[in-house]
Amino acid sequence: MKNVLIIDYGTGNLKSVHNAIKKVSEKQDCKILVSSSREDLKKSTHIILPGVGAFESCLNGLIKTKVLSYLEEMVLEKKKPFLGICVGMQMLATKGFENGEFAGLDWISGEVNKINNPNNNLKIPHMGWNTLKFLKETAFTKCLLKKMKVTNLNDISAYFVHSYNFKNKNANEKVITTCYGEEITAMISKENIIGTQFHPEKSHYFGLAFLKTFLEQG
Amino acid sequence: MLKIRIIPCLDVDAGRVVKGINFLSLRDAGDPVEQAKAYSDEGADEITFLDITATHQQRRPMIDVISKTAEKCFVPLTVGGGVKNIMDIKEFLLAGADKVSINSAAIKNPSLINESSKKFGNQCIVVAIDAKKKSKNWNVFINGGRVDTGIDAISWAKNIEKRGAGEILLTSMDRDGTKNGFDLELTSKISSAVNIPVIASGGVGCLKDFFDGIKLGGASAVLAASVFHFKELTIKQVKKYLKSKNINVRIDNLDK
């Protein structure tokens, strides 16, 4: 029995994530919870932190739930599989520089900066489908490959909508990148923690396979 | 490399997909939920859903149709029509929209762009511009093309970018539904005036029109309604054609 918790902190497109999880957990013994209660965090087997909006307002929303330290206990100590999406990933950084300088959760070392656009020739936000570059093979990507029914992950694209880039410190925590003016961190992974800059819930077949793989973690 | 987006648009009136010519004389084109799913499965990069008579008829947007559409469609969904304030935007997002398109309300209260992009993020605020040629310039129209604001479309585009909009959905009213191709002059003027993505809309009739909108118009995405609704062209066909013309499109899912 799986209990997938989508953290509701007053922001973001929870419904899209909910719809996609519902789709990939069809015919499975799986319950989807949308809340930020301690009780549901405790019950959860998988935790998803969606994120749409600015770094600071998302972070404030999360702080206002008053369960941040309990969430940290569930993820950092109990090691429940965790997925942060878009700003939900960016908030895991040490610092974010969107409209000022703000401390992040610091689960994954690094900083979130505006996408570099020195010649002003890029359309910002980076919006749309971009090709993924898999930097290494992990248990997760192996499983994903199998689900995609493809022999390699070349020429797979995912949907991005963001203006900031998570420049994480440890190269070995970076699994997927894409390119938009500069190298963009597309997926990070550290033990039970996964973060994606792209939106798996909006990346159609690839995204659904990604979420299905996430539900098999733990 | 970032791909050019092909976006089918569902113009919805009273719960049905409709299509008009120059914004008027609507005819029925089916169920929005089924169409959205079909498009998503066929390889649409995004889907746009416009409640085209909401502002004009002063009624609430159809949240339940949006929510059912969102359940079936695992590509980004932009919803617009009848958005008046922050609460409407929030309601759309909660129903499953990924981006919200505002039009009349942005003209009447431009600070709505600032407030909403700050609250929900620039990326989810799309400002729609319905433009019509007036001698040398283009004017912005609102209320589903019924009211001429007298505002110049290019200066309005720059203004909404400054206010924090993430994207512009540019529709040429002169071309809408005519199948004579995008207004390329308008599209290229607007897309070179701003640094945010511009979606070209209004007038697609054949494969070459898509290519021209991208190459000559400089659009980041191309939107079409009639040609897809009436199955004159399929999304797959458009993507294969564009790929053969060396336009970078997402084609990886097309054969599944």
Short mmCIF file of all heavy atoms in Angstrom, two decimals, chain A residues 144-208:
data_model
loop_
_atom_site.label_atom_id
_atom_site.label_comp_id
_atom_site.label_asym_id
_atom_site.label_seq_id
_atom_site.Cartn_x
_atom_site.Cartn_y
_atom_site.Cartn_z
N LEU A 144 13.74 3.71 -15.51
CA LEU A 144 13.03 4.64 -16.39
C LEU A 144 13.15 4.19 -17.86
O LEU A 144 12.17 4.17 -18.60
CB LEU A 144 13.63 6.04 -16.20
CG LEU A 144 13.07 7.19 -17.00
CD1 LEU A 144 11.60 7.40 -16.68
CD2 LEU A 144 13.85 8.48 -16.67
N LEU A 145 14.37 3.81 -18.21
CA LEU A 145 14.65 3.34 -19.56
C LEU A 145 13.77 2.16 -19.93
O LEU A 145 13.20 2.08 -21.02
CB LEU A 145 16.13 2.93 -19.62
CG LEU A 145 16.76 2.74 -20.98
CD1 LEU A 145 17.30 4.08 -21.46
CD2 LEU A 145 17.91 1.75 -20.91
N LYS A 146 13.65 1.25 -18.97
CA LYS A 146 12.84 0.06 -19.18
C LYS A 146 11.38 0.43 -19.41
O LYS A 146 10.72 -0.10 -20.29
CB LYS A 146 12.95 -0.81 -17.92
CG LYS A 146 13.21 -2.27 -18.21
CD LYS A 146 13.59 -2.96 -16.92
CE LYS A 146 13.04 -4.36 -16.83
NZ LYS A 146 13.33 -4.94 -15.50
N LYS A 147 10.92 1.39 -18.62
CA LYS A 147 9.52 1.82 -18.73
C LYS A 147 9.24 2.55 -20.04
O LYS A 147 8.15 2.46 -20.57
CB LYS A 147 9.18 2.77 -17.59
CG LYS A 147 9.05 2.09 -16.29
CD LYS A 147 8.02 2.75 -15.42
CE LYS A 147 7.67 1.81 -14.29
NZ LYS A 147 8.78 1.01 -13.83
N MET A 148 10.22 3.26 -20.51
CA MET A 148 10.05 4.02 -21.75
C MET A 148 10.05 3.09 -22.96
O MET A 148 9.76 3.51 -24.07
CB MET A 148 11.18 5.04 -21.93
CG MET A 148 11.24 6.14 -20.90
SD MET A 148 9.98 7.40 -21.16
CE MET A 148 10.46 8.11 -22.73
N LYS A 149 10.44 1.85 -22.73
CA LYS A 149 10.54 0.87 -23.81
C LYS A 149 11.46 1.37 -24.92
O LYS A 149 11.18 1.23 -26.10
CB LYS A 149 9.16 0.50 -24.36
CG LYS A 149 8.29 -0.19 -23.32
CD LYS A 149 6.99 -0.70 -23.94
CE LYS A 149 6.15 -1.39 -22.90
NZ LYS A 149 4.99 -0.62 -22.45
N VAL A 150 12.55 2.00 -24.51
CA VAL A 150 13.55 2.43 -25.48
C VAL A 150 14.90 1.87 -25.05
O VAL A 150 15.07 1.48 -23.89
CB VAL A 150 13.65 3.98 -25.58
CG1 VAL A 150 12.42 4.56 -26.21
CG2 VAL A 150 13.91 4.61 -24.22
N THR A 151 15.82 1.80 -25.96
CA THR A 151 17.12 1.23 -25.60
C THR A 151 18.11 2.28 -25.14
O THR A 151 19.07 1.99 -24.46
CB THR A 151 17.73 0.45 -26.79
OG1 THR A 151 17.62 1.29 -27.94
CG2 THR A 151 17.00 -0.85 -27.03
N ASN A 152 17.85 3.52 -25.51
CA ASN A 152 18.71 4.57 -24.96
C ASN A 152 17.86 5.82 -24.74
O ASN A 152 16.74 5.93 -25.23
CB ASN A 152 19.88 4.87 -25.90
CG ASN A 152 19.41 5.45 -27.21
OD1 ASN A 152 18.91 6.57 -27.24
ND2 ASN A 152 19.54 4.70 -28.28
N LEU A 153 18.44 6.71 -23.96
CA LEU A 153 17.65 7.88 -23.60
C LEU A 153 18.04 9.12 -24.42
O LEU A 153 17.81 10.24 -24.01
CB LEU A 153 17.79 8.16 -22.10
CG LEU A 153 17.13 7.09 -21.19
CD1 LEU A 153 17.58 7.25 -19.75
CD2 LEU A 153 15.62 7.16 -21.26
N ASN A 154 18.59 8.88 -25.59
CA ASN A 154 18.89 10.01 -26.47
C ASN A 154 17.59 10.55 -27.04
O ASN A 154 16.65 9.81 -27.25
CB ASN A 154 19.76 9.57 -27.65
CG ASN A 154 21.12 9.13 -27.18
OD1 ASN A 154 21.58 9.55 -26.11
ND2 ASN A 154 21.74 8.24 -27.94
N ASP A 155 17.59 11.84 -27.27
CA ASP A 155 16.45 12.45 -27.95
C ASP A 155 15.14 12.37 -27.18
O ASP A 155 14.07 12.33 -27.77
CB ASP A 155 16.28 11.80 -29.34
CG ASP A 155 15.83 12.86 -30.33
OD1 ASP A 155 16.04 14.04 -30.04
OD2 ASP A 155 15.24 12.49 -31.36
N ILE A 156 15.25 12.34 -25.85
CA ILE A 156 14.05 12.42 -25.02
C ILE A 156 13.94 13.88 -24.58
O ILE A 156 14.94 14.49 -24.22
CB ILE A 156 14.20 11.54 -23.76
CG1 ILE A 156 14.41 10.08 -24.13
CG2 ILE A 156 13.04 11.75 -22.81
CD1 ILE A 156 13.17 9.31 -24.40
N SER A 157 12.74 14.42 -24.64
CA SER A 157 12.64 15.79 -24.14
C SER A 157 11.58 15.89 -23.04
O SER A 157 10.71 15.04 -22.93
CB SER A 157 12.35 16.76 -25.28
OG SER A 157 11.35 16.27 -26.11
N ALA A 158 11.72 16.94 -22.26
CA ALA A 158 10.80 17.17 -21.14
C ALA A 158 10.39 18.63 -21.15
O ALA A 158 11.04 19.47 -21.78
CB ALA A 158 11.47 16.81 -19.83
N TYR A 159 9.33 18.92 -20.43
CA TYR A 159 8.78 20.29 -20.43
C TYR A 159 9.35 21.14 -19.29
O TYR A 159 9.26 20.76 -18.12
CB TYR A 159 7.26 20.24 -20.33
CG TYR A 159 6.65 21.59 -20.63
CD1 TYR A 159 6.42 22.00 -21.93
CD2 TYR A 159 6.32 22.46 -19.60
CE1 TYR A 159 5.90 23.25 -22.20
CE2 TYR A 159 5.79 23.72 -19.87
CZ TYR A 159 5.58 24.10 -21.17
OH TYR A 159 5.06 25.34 -21.44
N PHE A 160 9.90 22.27 -19.67
CA PHE A 160 10.50 23.21 -18.71
C PHE A 160 9.74 24.54 -18.72
O PHE A 160 9.31 24.99 -19.78
CB PHE A 160 11.94 23.52 -19.11
CG PHE A 160 12.90 22.36 -18.97
CD1 PHE A 160 12.99 21.40 -19.97
CD2 PHE A 160 13.69 22.24 -17.85
CE1 PHE A 160 13.88 20.34 -19.85
CE2 PHE A 160 14.58 21.18 -17.72
CZ PHE A 160 14.68 20.22 -18.72
N VAL A 161 9.61 25.14 -17.57
CA VAL A 161 9.12 26.53 -17.50
C VAL A 161 9.80 27.16 -16.29
O VAL A 161 9.38 26.96 -15.15
CB VAL A 161 7.60 26.63 -17.21
CG1 VAL A 161 7.13 28.05 -17.43
CG2 VAL A 161 6.79 25.69 -18.02
N HIS A 162 10.85 27.90 -16.52
CA HIS A 162 11.55 28.52 -15.38
C HIS A 162 12.51 29.60 -15.88
O HIS A 162 12.88 29.62 -17.05
CB HIS A 162 12.34 27.46 -14.60
CG HIS A 162 13.44 26.82 -15.42
ND1 HIS A 162 14.76 26.91 -15.09
CD2 HIS A 162 13.40 26.11 -16.58
CE1 HIS A 162 15.49 26.27 -16.00
NE2 HIS A 162 14.68 25.77 -16.91
N SER A 163 12.90 30.47 -14.96
CA SER A 163 13.84 31.53 -15.30
C SER A 163 15.12 31.41 -14.48
O SER A 163 16.06 32.15 -14.67
CB SER A 163 13.21 32.89 -15.01
OG SER A 163 11.99 33.02 -15.72
N TYR A 164 15.11 30.48 -13.52
CA TYR A 164 16.25 30.31 -12.62
C TYR A 164 16.81 28.90 -12.73
O TYR A 164 16.08 27.96 -13.06
CB TYR A 164 15.84 30.63 -11.17
CG TYR A 164 15.64 32.12 -10.98
CD1 TYR A 164 14.50 32.75 -11.44
CD2 TYR A 164 16.64 32.89 -10.40
CE1 TYR A 164 14.33 34.13 -11.32
CE2 TYR A 164 16.49 34.27 -10.28
CZ TYR A 164 15.34 34.88 -10.74
OH TYR A 164 15.20 36.24 -10.62
N ASN A 165 18.10 28.79 -12.43
CA ASN A 165 18.81 27.53 -12.62
C ASN A 165 19.47 27.11 -11.32
O ASN A 165 20.14 27.91 -10.67
CB ASN A 165 19.86 27.74 -13.73
CG ASN A 165 20.61 26.47 -14.08
OD1 ASN A 165 20.21 25.36 -13.71
ND2 ASN A 165 21.72 26.64 -14.80
N PHE A 166 19.27 25.88 -10.92
CA PHE A 166 19.88 25.34 -9.70
C PHE A 166 21.30 24.87 -10.04
O PHE A 166 21.47 23.84 -10.67
CB PHE A 166 19.03 24.18 -9.18
CG PHE A 166 19.48 23.62 -7.84
CD1 PHE A 166 18.69 22.68 -7.19
CD2 PHE A 166 20.65 24.03 -7.21
CE1 PHE A 166 19.07 22.15 -5.95
CE2 PHE A 166 21.04 23.52 -5.98
CZ PHE A 166 20.25 22.57 -5.35
N LYS A 167 22.26 25.68 -9.61
CA LYS A 167 23.65 25.26 -9.84
C LYS A 167 24.11 24.52 -8.59
O LYS A 167 24.55 25.14 -7.62
CB LYS A 167 24.52 26.47 -10.11
CG LYS A 167 24.18 27.09 -11.47
CD LYS A 167 25.08 28.25 -11.80
CE LYS A 167 24.75 28.77 -13.19
NZ LYS A 167 24.92 30.21 -13.30
N ASN A 168 23.98 23.20 -8.65
CA ASN A 168 24.33 22.44 -7.44
C ASN A 168 25.84 22.24 -7.37
O ASN A 168 26.54 22.26 -8.39
CB ASN A 168 23.57 21.12 -7.39
CG ASN A 168 24.03 20.15 -8.43
OD1 ASN A 168 24.16 20.52 -9.59
ND2 ASN A 168 24.32 18.93 -8.04
N LYS A 169 26.30 22.06 -6.15
CA LYS A 169 27.75 22.07 -5.89
C LYS A 169 28.42 20.75 -6.28
O LYS A 169 29.47 20.74 -6.91
CB LYS A 169 27.96 22.35 -4.40
CG LYS A 169 29.31 22.91 -4.06
CD LYS A 169 29.32 23.36 -2.61
CE LYS A 169 30.74 23.38 -2.06
NZ LYS A 169 30.72 23.45 -0.59
N ASN A 170 27.80 19.64 -5.89
CA ASN A 170 28.45 18.35 -6.10
C ASN A 170 28.03 17.73 -7.44
O ASN A 170 26.88 17.36 -7.63
CB ASN A 170 28.10 17.38 -4.97
CG ASN A 170 28.51 17.97 -3.63
OD1 ASN A 170 29.60 18.53 -3.49
ND2 ASN A 170 27.62 17.89 -2.64
N ALA A 171 29.01 17.62 -8.31
CA ALA A 171 28.74 17.13 -9.65
C ALA A 171 28.09 15.75 -9.65
O ALA A 171 27.25 15.45 -10.50
CB ALA A 171 30.04 17.09 -10.45
N ASN A 172 28.44 14.93 -8.67
CA ASN A 172 27.88 13.57 -8.66
C ASN A 172 26.40 13.53 -8.30
O ASN A 172 25.76 12.49 -8.41
CB ASN A 172 28.71 12.65 -7.75
CG ASN A 172 28.68 13.11 -6.31
OD1 ASN A 172 28.29 14.24 -6.02
ND2 ASN A 172 29.06 12.23 -5.39
N GLU A 173 25.85 14.65 -7.86
CA GLU A 173 24.41 14.69 -7.56
C GLU A 173 23.58 15.12 -8.77
O GLU A 173 22.36 15.16 -8.71
CB GLU A 173 24.15 15.63 -6.38
CG GLU A 173 24.65 15.04 -5.07
CD GLU A 173 24.76 16.04 -3.93
OE1 GLU A 173 24.42 17.23 -4.11
OE2 GLU A 173 25.18 15.62 -2.84
N LYS A 174 24.26 15.45 -9.82
CA LYS A 174 23.56 15.90 -11.04
C LYS A 174 23.38 14.70 -11.96
O LYS A 174 24.36 14.04 -12.31
CB LYS A 174 24.40 16.98 -11.72
CG LYS A 174 23.58 17.82 -12.66
CD LYS A 174 24.37 18.93 -13.35
CE LYS A 174 25.25 19.77 -12.47
NZ LYS A 174 25.72 21.00 -13.09
N VAL A 175 22.16 14.41 -12.36
CA VAL A 175 21.90 13.21 -13.17
C VAL A 175 21.55 13.58 -14.62
O VAL A 175 21.99 12.95 -15.56
CB VAL A 175 20.76 12.36 -12.56
CG1 VAL A 175 20.54 11.09 -13.36
CG2 VAL A 175 21.07 12.03 -11.11
N ILE A 176 20.71 14.61 -14.76
CA ILE A 176 20.29 15.02 -16.10
C ILE A 176 20.49 16.53 -16.25
O ILE A 176 20.26 17.28 -15.29
CB ILE A 176 18.79 14.70 -16.36
CG1 ILE A 176 18.46 13.24 -16.05
CG2 ILE A 176 18.38 15.03 -17.78
CD1 ILE A 176 16.97 12.89 -16.19
N THR A 177 20.90 16.93 -17.43
CA THR A 177 20.98 18.37 -17.70
C THR A 177 20.27 18.65 -19.03
O THR A 177 19.91 17.73 -19.77
CB THR A 177 22.45 18.85 -17.85
OG1 THR A 177 23.04 18.13 -18.93
CG2 THR A 177 23.25 18.64 -16.59
N THR A 178 20.08 19.93 -19.28
CA THR A 178 19.65 20.32 -20.60
C THR A 178 20.43 21.59 -20.92
O THR A 178 21.23 22.05 -20.10
CB THR A 178 18.12 20.53 -20.68
OG1 THR A 178 17.75 20.71 -22.05
CG2 THR A 178 17.67 21.76 -19.90
N CYS A 179 20.23 22.14 -22.10
CA CYS A 179 21.02 23.30 -22.46
C CYS A 179 20.10 24.44 -22.87
O CYS A 179 19.22 24.27 -23.72
CB CYS A 179 21.96 22.92 -23.60
SG CYS A 179 23.05 24.27 -24.03
N TYR A 180 20.29 25.58 -22.25
CA TYR A 180 19.58 26.78 -22.67
C TYR A 180 20.49 27.98 -22.36
O TYR A 180 20.50 28.47 -21.24
CB TYR A 180 18.23 26.92 -21.95
CG TYR A 180 17.33 27.95 -22.60
CD1 TYR A 180 16.86 27.77 -23.89
CD2 TYR A 180 16.96 29.11 -21.92
CE1 TYR A 180 16.06 28.72 -24.50
CE2 TYR A 180 16.14 30.07 -22.52
CZ TYR A 180 15.70 29.86 -23.81
OH TYR A 180 14.89 30.81 -24.42
N GLY A 181 21.29 28.34 -23.33
CA GLY A 181 22.29 29.38 -23.11
C GLY A 181 23.44 28.85 -22.28
O GLY A 181 24.59 29.04 -22.59
N GLU A 182 23.12 28.18 -21.21
CA GLU A 182 24.12 27.54 -20.35
C GLU A 182 23.61 26.14 -20.01
O GLU A 182 22.50 25.78 -20.40
CB GLU A 182 24.29 28.36 -19.07
CG GLU A 182 23.01 28.47 -18.26
CD GLU A 182 23.14 29.32 -17.00
OE1 GLU A 182 24.21 29.90 -16.78
OE2 GLU A 182 22.18 29.38 -16.23
N GLU A 183 24.44 25.40 -19.26
CA GLU A 183 23.96 24.09 -18.82
C GLU A 183 22.91 24.30 -17.73
O GLU A 183 23.13 25.03 -16.77
CB GLU A 183 25.13 23.27 -18.27
CG GLU A 183 24.71 21.87 -17.87
CD GLU A 183 25.78 21.14 -17.08
OE1 GLU A 183 25.93 21.40 -15.87
OE2 GLU A 183 26.46 20.29 -17.68
N ILE A 184 21.77 23.65 -17.90
CA ILE A 184 20.69 23.77 -16.93
C ILE A 184 20.57 22.43 -16.18
O ILE A 184 20.53 21.38 -16.82
CB ILE A 184 19.34 24.05 -17.64
CG1 ILE A 184 19.40 25.31 -18.52
CG2 ILE A 184 18.18 24.08 -16.65
CD1 ILE A 184 19.26 26.62 -17.81
N THR A 185 20.54 22.51 -14.86
CA THR A 185 20.35 21.29 -14.08
C THR A 185 18.90 20.83 -14.24
O THR A 185 17.97 21.56 -13.89
CB THR A 185 20.64 21.55 -12.58
OG1 THR A 185 21.95 22.08 -12.48
CG2 THR A 185 20.52 20.29 -11.76
N ALA A 186 18.73 19.62 -14.77
CA ALA A 186 17.37 19.14 -15.03
C ALA A 186 16.92 18.13 -13.98
O ALA A 186 15.74 18.06 -13.64
CB ALA A 186 17.29 18.52 -16.42
N MET A 187 17.86 17.32 -13.48
CA MET A 187 17.50 16.38 -12.42
C MET A 187 18.68 16.21 -11.48
O MET A 187 19.81 16.04 -11.92
CB MET A 187 17.13 15.00 -13.00
CG MET A 187 16.84 13.96 -11.91
SD MET A 187 16.66 12.29 -12.59
CE MET A 187 16.59 11.31 -11.09
N ILE A 188 18.38 16.27 -10.19
CA ILE A 188 19.40 15.98 -9.19
C ILE A 188 18.94 14.80 -8.36
O ILE A 188 17.74 14.52 -8.25
CB ILE A 188 19.67 17.18 -8.26
CG1 ILE A 188 18.34 17.77 -7.80
CG2 ILE A 188 20.54 18.22 -8.92
CD1 ILE A 188 18.49 18.71 -6.66
N SER A 189 19.88 14.13 -7.78
CA SER A 189 19.53 12.96 -6.98
C SER A 189 20.55 12.80 -5.87
O SER A 189 21.76 12.89 -6.10
CB SER A 189 19.54 11.74 -7.91
OG SER A 189 19.48 10.57 -7.17
N LYS A 190 20.05 12.61 -4.66
CA LYS A 190 20.94 12.41 -3.51
C LYS A 190 20.21 11.46 -2.57
O LYS A 190 19.17 11.81 -2.01
CB LYS A 190 21.21 13.75 -2.83
CG LYS A 190 22.15 13.68 -1.65
CD LYS A 190 22.23 15.06 -1.00
CE LYS A 190 23.12 15.04 0.21
NZ LYS A 190 23.12 16.35 0.88
N GLU A 191 20.72 10.28 -2.44
CA GLU A 191 20.06 9.22 -1.66
C GLU A 191 18.58 9.12 -2.05
O GLU A 191 18.27 8.88 -3.21
CB GLU A 191 20.24 9.49 -0.17
CG GLU A 191 21.71 9.49 0.26
CD GLU A 191 21.86 9.80 1.73
OE1 GLU A 191 21.23 9.11 2.56
OE2 GLU A 191 22.60 10.73 2.06
N ASN A 192 17.69 9.36 -1.07
CA ASN A 192 16.25 9.23 -1.34
C ASN A 192 15.63 10.49 -1.95
O ASN A 192 14.42 10.54 -2.20
CB ASN A 192 15.52 8.91 -0.03
CG ASN A 192 15.80 9.95 1.04
OD1 ASN A 192 16.95 10.34 1.25
ND2 ASN A 192 14.77 10.40 1.72
N ILE A 193 16.45 11.51 -2.17
CA ILE A 193 15.91 12.80 -2.65
C ILE A 193 16.13 12.96 -4.15
O ILE A 193 17.24 12.80 -4.65
CB ILE A 193 16.60 13.98 -1.93
CG1 ILE A 193 16.38 13.86 -0.41
CG2 ILE A 193 16.09 15.32 -2.45
CD1 ILE A 193 17.27 14.79 0.39
N ILE A 194 15.04 13.27 -4.84
CA ILE A 194 15.13 13.56 -6.27
C ILE A 194 14.54 14.94 -6.51
O ILE A 194 13.56 15.33 -5.86
CB ILE A 194 14.33 12.50 -7.08
CG1 ILE A 194 15.05 11.15 -7.05
CG2 ILE A 194 14.13 12.94 -8.53
CD1 ILE A 194 14.23 10.04 -7.63
N GLY A 195 15.16 15.68 -7.40
CA GLY A 195 14.59 16.97 -7.77
C GLY A 195 14.61 17.10 -9.28
O GLY A 195 15.56 16.65 -9.93
N THR A 196 13.56 17.68 -9.85
CA THR A 196 13.56 17.90 -11.29
C THR A 196 13.21 19.36 -11.58
O THR A 196 12.33 19.92 -10.96
CB THR A 196 12.53 17.02 -12.03
OG1 THR A 196 11.21 17.34 -11.57
CG2 THR A 196 12.80 15.55 -11.85
N GLN A 197 13.94 19.94 -12.52
CA GLN A 197 13.60 21.28 -12.97
C GLN A 197 12.45 21.20 -13.97
O GLN A 197 11.59 22.06 -14.02
CB GLN A 197 14.82 21.97 -13.62
CG GLN A 197 14.56 23.39 -14.04
CD GLN A 197 14.16 24.26 -12.86
OE1 GLN A 197 14.93 24.50 -11.94
NE2 GLN A 197 12.92 24.71 -12.85
N PHE A 198 12.42 20.11 -14.74
CA PHE A 198 11.30 19.94 -15.68
C PHE A 198 10.07 19.48 -14.91
O PHE A 198 10.14 19.11 -13.74
CB PHE A 198 11.67 18.94 -16.78
CG PHE A 198 12.07 17.57 -16.30
CD1 PHE A 198 11.11 16.62 -15.97
CD2 PHE A 198 13.42 17.22 -16.15
CE1 PHE A 198 11.47 15.35 -15.53
CE2 PHE A 198 13.78 15.96 -15.70
CZ PHE A 198 12.80 15.02 -15.39
N HIS A 199 8.95 19.54 -15.59
CA HIS A 199 7.69 19.13 -14.97
C HIS A 199 7.31 17.74 -15.47
O HIS A 199 6.74 17.63 -16.55
CB HIS A 199 6.59 20.13 -15.32
CG HIS A 199 6.74 21.43 -14.62
ND1 HIS A 199 6.13 21.70 -13.42
CD2 HIS A 199 7.46 22.53 -14.92
CE1 HIS A 199 6.46 22.92 -13.01
NE2 HIS A 199 7.27 23.45 -13.91
N PRO A 200 7.58 16.69 -14.67
CA PRO A 200 7.21 15.35 -15.15
C PRO A 200 5.70 15.24 -15.38
O PRO A 200 5.27 14.55 -16.30
CB PRO A 200 7.69 14.42 -14.03
CG PRO A 200 7.97 15.27 -12.85
CD PRO A 200 8.24 16.64 -13.35
N GLU A 201 4.93 15.93 -14.56
CA GLU A 201 3.47 15.86 -14.68
C GLU A 201 2.96 16.45 -15.98
O GLU A 201 1.81 16.28 -16.35
CB GLU A 201 2.81 16.50 -13.45
CG GLU A 201 2.76 18.03 -13.42
CD GLU A 201 4.07 18.70 -12.99
OE1 GLU A 201 5.11 18.03 -12.93
OE2 GLU A 201 4.04 19.92 -12.75
N LYS A 202 3.86 17.18 -16.69
CA LYS A 202 3.47 17.83 -17.95
C LYS A 202 4.33 17.34 -19.10
O LYS A 202 4.33 17.92 -20.17
CB LYS A 202 3.64 19.35 -17.80
CG LYS A 202 2.58 19.96 -16.92
CD LYS A 202 1.24 19.96 -17.62
CE LYS A 202 0.11 19.72 -16.66
NZ LYS A 202 -1.16 19.54 -17.38
N SER A 203 5.11 16.29 -18.87
CA SER A 203 6.02 15.81 -19.90
C SER A 203 5.54 14.52 -20.54
O SER A 203 6.33 13.65 -20.93
CB SER A 203 7.44 15.66 -19.35
OG SER A 203 7.94 16.90 -18.96
N HIS A 204 4.24 14.41 -20.61
CA HIS A 204 3.56 13.34 -21.32
C HIS A 204 4.14 11.96 -21.05
O HIS A 204 4.33 11.61 -19.90
CB HIS A 204 3.52 13.69 -22.82
CG HIS A 204 2.28 13.14 -23.47
ND1 HIS A 204 2.30 12.53 -24.69
CD2 HIS A 204 1.02 13.09 -23.04
CE1 HIS A 204 1.07 12.14 -25.00
NE2 HIS A 204 0.28 12.47 -24.01
N TYR A 205 4.42 11.16 -22.10
CA TYR A 205 4.85 9.77 -21.89
C TYR A 205 6.10 9.68 -21.02
O TYR A 205 6.16 8.88 -20.09
CB TYR A 205 5.12 9.07 -23.23
CG TYR A 205 3.90 8.93 -24.10
CD1 TYR A 205 3.81 9.59 -25.32
CD2 TYR A 205 2.83 8.13 -23.70
CE1 TYR A 205 2.68 9.47 -26.12
CE2 TYR A 205 1.70 8.00 -24.49
CZ TYR A 205 1.62 8.67 -25.71
OH TYR A 205 0.52 8.55 -26.49
N PHE A 206 7.08 10.52 -21.35
CA PHE A 206 8.31 10.49 -20.56
C PHE A 206 8.03 10.83 -19.10
O PHE A 206 8.48 10.14 -18.18
CB PHE A 206 9.36 11.46 -21.13
CG PHE A 206 10.46 11.75 -20.15
CD1 PHE A 206 11.45 10.80 -19.90
CD2 PHE A 206 10.51 12.96 -19.45
CE1 PHE A 206 12.45 11.05 -18.97
CE2 PHE A 206 11.51 13.21 -18.52
CZ PHE A 206 12.47 12.26 -18.28
N GLY A 207 7.26 11.89 -18.90
CA GLY A 207 6.97 12.36 -17.54
C GLY A 207 6.20 11.34 -16.73
O GLY A 207 6.47 11.12 -15.54
N LEU A 208 5.24 10.70 -17.37
CA LEU A 208 4.44 9.69 -16.67
C LEU A 208 5.32 8.50 -16.30
O LEU A 208 5.21 7.95 -15.19
CB LEU A 208 3.24 9.26 -17.51
CG LEU A 208 2.19 10.37 -17.77
CD1 LEU A 208 1.11 9.87 -18.72
CD2 LEU A 208 1.55 10.90 -16.49
#
